[in-house]
Amino acid sequence: MSTRLTLVGVAMVDSHALQLVMATSKIQDLTSNYLSKALSNKGYSSISPATLSFLSALDCGINFGSEIARNLGVSRQMVAKTVKDLSNKGYLEQREGVGKQKQILFTHQGELLMADARLLLAELDQHLANAIGKEHLGDLVNGFSQLEAVLSTKLTNQA
């Protein structure tokens, strides 16, 4: 590995992992912002990248606040607040469940939102495939899946 010097003279080691983290973070931000704006232009109100991130963590069927909180790494109170907000906007609904847990489901409007989001992403797929080649795009997706598996195993084994 090569090193670089900073202005204060401390050697810094180059890192592919750091480059991957920075690039994937930027890709996620660009994609989320594109999707948010495109969905807003289609008439969906109050669709921010954070809202899309929350909604993308939900299953198509029944969801529970504790599972969502665990998957997103946030508090159940944060999930409850977000679900209430998205219910008021017409994207989610809550129903009585077993015990104290309420079921969280997409409304018809929420399902339309997610379907339109996937359609926009499919259009983005086509643009990416045209720009870098369909095979290369597939190789990138497979490579990132492999990286995720390696990192997941490494981090799980360290815990």
Side-chain angles (χ1 to χ4, degrees), residues 26-86:
K26 185 67 173 173
I27 290 167
Q28 182 176 358
D29 288 347
L30 288 167
T31 305
S32 294
N33 288 331
Y34 158 76
L35 200 53
S36 174
K37 288 177 186 172
L39 288 167
S40 291
N41 290 341
K42 285 184 164 272
Y44 295 101
S45 63
S46 306
I47 297 300
S48 68
T51 300
L52 289 171
S53 178
F54 183 88
L55 291 172
S56 71
L58 302 181
D59 291 330
C60 292
I62 298 170
N63 298 273
F64 295 97
S66 58
E67 291 173 5
I68 298 167
R70 191 171 29 260
N71 290 339
L72 291 175
V74 298
S75 70
R76 284 184 286 174
Q77 292 81 6
M78 178 65 170
V79 169
K81 180 180 182 234
T82 304
V83 168
K84 182 177 180 182
D85 180 53
L86 292 172

XYZ file of all heavy atoms in Angstrom, residues 26-86:
456
model
N -21.921 8.497 -1.616
C -22.278 9.515 -2.610
C -23.330 8.978 -3.586
O -24.291 9.673 -3.923
C -21.023 9.959 -3.365
C -21.250 11.089 -4.325
C -21.589 12.364 -3.614
C -21.653 13.521 -4.592
N -22.126 14.738 -3.977
N -23.174 7.730 -4.006
C -24.154 7.110 -4.908
C -25.521 7.036 -4.229
O -26.553 7.342 -4.831
C -23.681 5.710 -5.355
C -22.489 5.837 -6.303
C -24.815 4.927 -6.023
C -21.755 4.546 -6.567
N -25.541 6.646 -2.953
C -26.800 6.575 -2.224
C -27.445 7.961 -2.115
O -28.645 8.108 -2.335
C -26.597 5.982 -0.833
C -27.895 5.853 -0.066
C -27.718 5.179 1.278
O -26.634 4.763 1.650
N -28.802 5.080 2.012
N -26.652 8.974 -1.799
C -27.187 10.333 -1.693
C -27.754 10.811 -3.031
O -28.859 11.362 -3.076
C -26.105 11.312 -1.220
C -25.733 11.148 0.235
O -26.460 10.456 0.983
O -24.688 11.706 0.636
N -26.997 10.607 -4.104
C -27.457 11.043 -5.423
C -28.742 10.328 -5.823
O -29.685 10.957 -6.326
C -26.365 10.789 -6.470
C -25.141 11.702 -6.399
C -24.018 11.149 -7.276
C -25.499 13.121 -6.809
N -28.785 9.020 -5.599
C -29.966 8.239 -5.960
C -31.174 8.648 -5.131
O -32.279 8.831 -5.662
C -29.678 6.738 -5.806
O -28.531 6.404 -6.579
C -30.861 5.893 -6.265
N -30.983 8.811 -3.828
C -32.088 9.208 -2.946
C -32.628 10.580 -3.308
O -33.844 10.794 -3.328
C -31.631 9.209 -1.487
O -31.319 7.912 -1.068
N -31.730 11.514 -3.596
C -32.173 12.861 -3.971
C -32.905 12.851 -5.311
O -33.930 13.515 -5.458
C -30.979 13.821 -4.014
C -30.464 14.159 -2.637
O -31.203 14.168 -1.655
N -29.172 14.417 -2.539
N -32.392 12.093 -6.278
C -33.064 11.962 -7.575
C -34.465 11.392 -7.394
O -35.449 11.925 -7.923
C -32.234 11.067 -8.500
C -33.045 10.461 -9.618
C -33.427 11.216 -10.723
C -33.465 9.133 -9.553
C -34.185 10.664 -11.746
C -34.226 8.571 -10.570
C -34.588 9.341 -11.655
O -35.348 8.797 -12.650
N -34.554 10.299 -6.643
C -35.832 9.628 -6.443
C -36.816 10.535 -5.711
O -37.993 10.618 -6.076
C -35.603 8.335 -5.664
C -36.652 7.252 -5.717
C -37.015 6.887 -7.141
C -36.158 6.028 -4.963
N -36.341 11.224 -4.698
C -37.187 12.135 -3.930
C -37.774 13.228 -4.827
O -38.978 13.496 -4.802
C -36.362 12.751 -2.799
O -37.085 13.740 -2.123
N -36.926 13.844 -5.642
C -37.392 14.913 -6.534
C -38.340 14.375 -7.600
O -39.362 14.992 -7.892
C -36.204 15.612 -7.188
C -35.423 16.481 -6.239
C -34.208 17.091 -6.904
C -33.370 17.849 -5.870
N -32.088 18.303 -6.435
N -37.998 13.225 -8.171
C -38.840 12.647 -9.221
C -40.216 12.273 -8.678
O -41.236 12.493 -9.346
C -38.149 11.434 -9.838
N -40.265 11.721 -7.476
C -41.551 11.356 -6.873
C -42.352 12.600 -6.501
O -43.577 12.629 -6.661
C -41.343 10.457 -5.662
C -40.891 9.040 -6.005
C -40.394 8.312 -4.762
C -42.015 8.261 -6.682
N -41.678 13.631 -6.025
C -42.369 14.895 -5.728
C -42.976 15.469 -7.002
O -44.102 15.969 -6.993
C -41.410 15.898 -5.087
O -41.058 15.477 -3.796
N -42.228 15.380 -8.105
C -42.737 15.859 -9.399
C -43.933 15.048 -9.880
O -44.734 15.546 -10.665
C -41.632 15.834 -10.459
C -40.571 16.880 -10.209
O -40.784 17.841 -9.487
N -39.402 16.676 -10.806
N -44.061 13.800 -9.425
C -45.205 12.953 -9.780
C -46.404 13.207 -8.862
O -47.422 12.546 -8.977
C -44.814 11.477 -9.720
C -43.961 11.019 -10.880
C -43.729 9.524 -10.768
C -43.229 8.959 -12.057
N -44.300 8.557 -12.958
N -46.237 14.131 -7.907
C -47.368 14.499 -7.061
C -47.362 13.914 -5.661
O -48.298 14.140 -4.894
N -46.348 13.162 -5.307
C -46.265 12.626 -3.945
C -45.710 13.706 -3.035
O -44.641 14.250 -3.271
C -45.363 11.382 -3.906
C -45.928 10.227 -4.688
C -45.453 9.937 -5.963
C -46.944 9.441 -4.160
C -45.969 8.875 -6.687
C -47.464 8.378 -4.885
C -46.973 8.105 -6.148
O -47.493 7.052 -6.855
N -46.472 14.028 -2.007
C -46.063 15.124 -1.126
C -45.107 14.642 -0.040
O -45.180 13.499 0.404
C -47.301 15.757 -0.471
O -47.955 14.813 0.350
N -44.233 15.526 0.348
C -43.329 15.319 1.482
C -42.483 14.061 1.371
O -42.298 13.338 2.347
C -44.118 15.287 2.792
O -44.917 16.424 2.926
N -41.956 13.795 0.189
C -41.109 12.621 0.003
C -39.655 13.066 0.026
O -39.130 13.595 -0.948
C -41.439 11.891 -1.320
C -42.861 11.375 -1.283
C -40.468 10.751 -1.561
C -43.137 10.394 -0.151
N -39.035 12.872 1.171
C -37.625 13.217 1.345
C -36.789 11.946 1.244
O -37.327 10.834 1.342
C -37.421 13.854 2.717
O -37.636 12.886 3.741
N -35.488 12.083 1.075
C -34.632 10.894 1.115
C -34.787 10.100 2.418
O -34.794 8.868 2.390
C -33.216 11.470 0.965
C -33.423 12.706 0.136
C -34.732 13.270 0.661
N -34.958 10.784 3.533
C -35.148 10.086 4.814
C -36.458 9.304 4.824
O -36.514 8.179 5.321
C -35.114 11.086 5.970
N -37.516 9.886 4.260
C -38.800 9.188 4.168
C -38.667 7.942 3.302
O -39.146 6.866 3.664
C -39.880 10.120 3.571
O -40.032 11.258 4.420
C -41.207 9.413 3.417
N -37.981 8.076 2.181
C -37.782 6.931 1.291
C -36.962 5.846 1.975
O -37.253 4.658 1.823
C -37.097 7.368 0.001
C -37.962 8.197 -0.943
C -37.125 8.749 -2.079
C -39.123 7.374 -1.467
N -35.961 6.241 2.723
C -35.139 5.270 3.449
C -35.986 4.502 4.452
O -35.884 3.278 4.568
C -33.991 5.987 4.160
O -33.222 5.083 4.905
N -36.843 5.205 5.163
C -37.723 4.561 6.137
C -38.679 3.599 5.439
O -38.799 2.434 5.830
C -38.514 5.606 6.931
C -39.377 5.018 7.997
C -38.865 4.785 9.266
C -40.699 4.680 7.743
C -39.659 4.225 10.258
C -41.497 4.115 8.723
C -40.971 3.892 9.991
N -39.346 4.066 4.389
C -40.318 3.231 3.686
C -39.670 2.012 3.040
O -40.270 0.941 2.992
C -41.069 4.052 2.636
C -42.032 5.114 3.177
C -42.564 5.980 2.041
C -43.160 4.485 3.971
N -38.432 2.174 2.568
C -37.761 1.045 1.921
C -37.397 -0.055 2.909
O -37.141 -1.187 2.510
C -36.510 1.519 1.178
O -35.502 1.904 2.086
N -37.401 0.265 4.195
C -37.090 -0.738 5.221
C -38.308 -1.592 5.570
O -38.185 -2.581 6.294
C -36.561 -0.059 6.478
N -39.483 -1.223 5.046
C -40.705 -1.954 5.370
C -40.936 -3.101 4.403
O -40.615 -3.019 3.220
C -41.910 -1.018 5.326
C -41.873 0.206 6.236
C -43.160 1.002 6.090
C -41.651 -0.182 7.672
N -41.524 -4.175 4.917
C -41.949 -5.283 4.071
C -43.263 -4.906 3.401
O -43.987 -4.026 3.865
C -42.156 -6.547 4.913
C -40.853 -7.115 5.447
O -39.815 -6.948 4.776
O -40.877 -7.723 6.533
N -43.595 -5.603 2.338
C -44.843 -5.330 1.628
C -46.074 -5.695 2.450
O -47.130 -5.126 2.259
C -44.873 -6.071 0.294
S -43.676 -5.439 -0.880
N -45.942 -6.623 3.369
C -47.078 -7.047 4.174
C -47.136 -6.311 5.503
O -46.999 -5.098 5.569
N -47.298 -7.080 6.553
C -47.439 -6.532 7.904
C -46.067 -6.268 8.503
O -45.156 -7.088 8.410
C -48.232 -7.513 8.791
C -49.639 -7.704 8.235
C -48.270 -7.031 10.232
C -50.424 -8.820 8.898
N -45.932 -5.096 9.114
C -44.704 -4.693 9.793
C -45.042 -4.363 11.241
O -46.178 -4.019 11.564
C -44.106 -3.453 9.128
C -43.713 -3.704 7.692
O -42.623 -4.152 7.420
N -44.624 -3.432 6.755
N -44.043 -4.437 12.097
C -44.205 -4.071 13.501
C -43.108 -3.075 13.871
O -41.961 -3.193 13.407
C -44.133 -5.301 14.401
C -45.266 -6.257 14.186
C -45.122 -7.362 13.367
C -46.508 -6.026 14.775
C -46.169 -8.229 13.144
C -47.570 -6.885 14.557
C -47.403 -7.994 13.740
N -43.468 -2.112 14.698
C -42.551 -1.044 15.079
C -41.231 -1.541 15.632
O -40.166 -1.008 15.293
N -41.274 -2.569 16.474
C -40.030 -3.061 17.083
C -39.089 -3.646 16.030
O -37.869 -3.456 16.101
C -40.338 -4.104 18.158
O -41.070 -5.182 17.616
N -39.642 -4.337 15.030
C -38.817 -4.895 13.953
C -38.213 -3.784 13.095
O -37.038 -3.844 12.718
C -39.644 -5.821 13.069
C -40.073 -7.103 13.739
C -41.038 -7.920 12.884
O -41.296 -7.540 11.719
O -41.539 -8.931 13.393
N -39.009 -2.779 12.800
C -38.520 -1.653 12.004
C -37.397 -0.952 12.754
O -36.346 -0.640 12.176
C -39.661 -0.660 11.685
C -40.754 -1.334 10.856
C -39.114 0.569 10.962
C -42.037 -0.531 10.757
N -37.604 -0.702 14.049
C -36.586 -0.036 14.870
C -35.289 -0.837 14.871
O -34.198 -0.275 14.719
C -37.107 0.156 16.292
N -35.404 -2.134 15.031
C -34.221 -3.002 15.054
C -33.504 -2.975 13.702
O -32.285 -2.846 13.641
C -34.632 -4.430 15.425
C -33.509 -5.373 15.729
C -33.941 -6.722 16.293
N -35.245 -7.231 15.906
C -36.351 -7.164 16.660
N -36.304 -6.612 17.867
N -37.503 -7.637 16.232
N -34.254 -3.062 12.616
C -33.655 -3.064 11.275
C -32.978 -1.743 10.926
O -31.957 -1.730 10.237
C -34.703 -3.393 10.213
C -35.168 -4.825 10.281
O -34.496 -5.692 10.827
N -36.340 -5.089 9.733
N -33.558 -0.646 11.389
C -33.000 0.675 11.079
C -32.015 1.167 12.138
O -31.337 2.170 11.912
C -34.129 1.701 10.921
C -35.023 1.530 9.702
C -36.170 2.531 9.738
C -34.216 1.691 8.419
N -31.982 0.505 13.285
C -31.089 0.943 14.353
C -31.537 2.240 14.994
O -30.712 3.082 15.354
N -32.857 2.408 15.129
C -33.415 3.608 15.763
C -34.352 3.181 16.892
O -34.665 2.002 17.040
C -34.178 4.491 14.738
C -33.245 4.989 13.638
C -35.348 3.746 14.123
N -34.807 4.144 17.664
C -35.699 3.835 18.781
C -37.112 3.537 18.290
O -37.519 3.985 17.208
C -35.738 5.004 19.762
O -36.426 6.101 19.194
N -37.865 2.813 19.110
C -39.268 2.540 18.774
C -40.072 3.828 18.775
O -41.026 3.974 18.016
C -39.856 1.522 19.745
C -39.381 0.105 19.434
C -40.029 -0.902 20.322
N -39.438 -0.786 21.662
C -39.829 -1.426 22.722
N -40.839 -2.261 22.645
N -39.236 -1.276 23.882
N -39.677 4.788 19.622
C -40.365 6.078 19.659
C -40.188 6.822 18.332
O -41.128 7.440 17.831
C -39.843 6.940 20.818
C -40.189 6.405 22.190
C -39.251 5.286 22.662
O -38.262 4.961 22.017
N -39.584 4.682 23.791
N -38.993 6.732 17.769
C -38.740 7.377 16.478
C -39.588 6.719 15.391
O -40.165 7.397 14.534
C -37.251 7.286 16.139
C -36.889 7.877 14.807
S -37.196 9.638 14.809
C -36.425 10.117 13.301
N -39.672 5.398 15.434
C -40.500 4.673 14.468
C -41.964 5.083 14.622
O -42.644 5.371 13.634
C -40.328 3.144 14.621
C -41.373 2.392 13.806
C -38.923 2.721 14.213
N -42.449 5.137 15.860
C -43.846 5.503 16.105
C -44.143 6.898 15.577
O -45.196 7.123 14.945
C -44.158 5.419 17.599
N -43.234 7.826 15.790
C -43.419 9.203 15.318
C -43.450 9.238 13.794
O -44.294 9.902 13.195
C -42.290 10.089 15.849
C -42.390 11.521 15.429
C -41.229 12.339 15.993
C -41.383 13.778 15.592
N -40.248 14.328 14.936
N -42.537 8.521 13.160
C -42.462 8.505 11.704
C -43.689 7.824 11.107
O -44.262 8.305 10.118
C -41.169 7.805 11.235
O -40.047 8.459 11.843
C -41.029 7.848 9.731
N -44.120 6.715 11.710
C -45.314 6.012 11.224
C -46.537 6.918 11.345
O -47.361 6.986 10.418
C -45.516 4.679 11.978
C -46.897 4.093 11.693
C -44.423 3.691 11.591
N -46.664 7.627 12.435
C -47.803 8.538 12.617
C -47.786 9.617 11.538
O -48.817 9.906 10.928
C -47.745 9.179 14.005
C -48.908 10.093 14.291
C -48.857 10.656 15.695
C -50.042 11.554 15.938
N -50.019 12.161 17.276
N -46.614 10.186 11.285
C -46.479 11.217 10.261
C -46.844 10.666 8.881
O -47.604 11.291 8.130
C -45.050 11.768 10.260
C -44.837 12.843 9.216
O -45.615 13.819 9.187
O -43.888 12.710 8.418
N -46.325 9.473 8.547
C -46.605 8.882 7.231
C -48.044 8.390 7.126
O -48.601 8.331 6.025
C -45.610 7.763 6.940
C -44.164 8.242 6.731
C -43.211 7.074 6.632
C -44.071 9.147 5.512
